[in-house]
Amino acid sequence: MALLNILTQEDEQLRKHSRKVEKFDARLHTLIDDMRETLLNSGGVGLAAPQVGVLRRVVVLLDINKDPEEVVELVNPEVIEQSGEQRIVEGCLSVPGVYGYVTRPTWAKIRAQDRDGNWFEREGEGVVAQCFCHETEHLDGHLFTEKVEEYVDPEDLQRGDEEEDAE
Ligand code: ZN
């Protein structure tokens, strides 16, 4: 496994549309393994393949409501249902040091394939619903800064008890 370089917002790759994964082969597994390691090393809660310069529809994230140690692997993910509304602080590994309030659903259901191509569905609440939306948007070339309603001074976050993880 290898640690991958996380691109930052100036990089054009982050604005591009990622292609659907068609082959569930060793190359995909290596990418997912490297993304897992990179995520766990980053201190963030989610990572999408375009953030490491690979324009494929692959996401890894931590379901911190269920098991913060478990890395969830999502290939070709799509948010298929969502409900509620929460206004929460968000950040992104590709936009270091920048945090802002965005509006996200309080609950979301995702449909995705695992690394061998088997389809499954998964639900998430709160920060996990937020993460489902944030990461799938990366696959379409969107950054959370497009949705920020109000930026927050990172120093205020560190003082408060609502310190946010980057995605
Ligand atoms: Zn992000």
Side-chain angles (χ1 to χ4, degrees):
M1 288 201 279
L3 279 182
L4 305 170
N5 183 38
I6 298 175
L7 305 179
T8 50
Q9 57 178 331
E10 314 74 57
D11 203 296
E12 274 184 27
Q13 299 281 81
L14 290 170
R15 305 285 177 180
K16 290 183 181 163
H17 184 88
S18 291
R19 280 162 297 160
K20 196 172 177 223
V21 172
E22 311 270 6
K23 282 188 196 159
F24 296 83
D25 56 6
R27 205 167 154 214
L28 174 70
H29 295 179
T30 301
L31 170 67
I32 294 173
D33 289 340
D34 290 348
M35 285 176 64
R36 290 175 71 104
E37 194 183 0
T38 305
L39 174 67
L40 292 171
N41 185 257
S42 70
V45 294
L47 182 70
Q51 291 181 276
V52 293
V54 178
L55 294 176
R56 293 286 177 188
R57 302 186 83 81
V58 178
V59 163
V60 291
L61 57 85
L62 302 176
D63 188 335
I64 60 168
N65 294 340
K66 286 198 176 127
D67 177 2
E69 311 266 298
E70 185 202 354
V71 179
V72 181
E73 304 173 356
L74 304 170
V75 179
N76 298 322
E78 256 182 279
V79 176
I80 53 170
E81 270 182 69
Q82 58 182 61
S83 67
E85 208 176 85
Q86 55 178 341
R87 189 167 180 266
I88 36 171
V89 175
E90 194 157 308
C92 178
L93 291 170
S94 294
V95 193
V98 175
Y99 297 90
Y101 280 98
V102 295
T103 300
R104 295 290 189 189
T106 51
W107 174 89
K109 186 193 272 187
I110 209 157
R111 182 171 181 263
Q113 283 165 285
D114 67 16
R115 60 166 64 203
D116 298 312
N118 304 304
W119 285 100
F120 64 96
E121 290 179 1
R122 192 171 176 120
E123 295 173 27
E125 283 184 300
V127 72
V128 178
Q130 173 187 16
C131 196
F132 284 169
C133 298
H134 179 113
E135 300 309 331
T136 51
E137 286 170 7
H138 270 302
L139 304 179
D140 293 319
H142 295 293
L143 294 179
F144 86 104
T145 46
E146 297 166 31
K147 295 199 167 227
V148 168
E149 295 152 14
E150 188 190 341
Y151 284 96
V152 180
D153 185 340
E155 283 186 18
D156 292 342
L157 283 180
Q158 277 157 21
R159 278 197 295 270
D161 51 6
E162 262 192 84
E163 194 173 341
E164 291 297 318
D165 297 312
E167 290 161 23

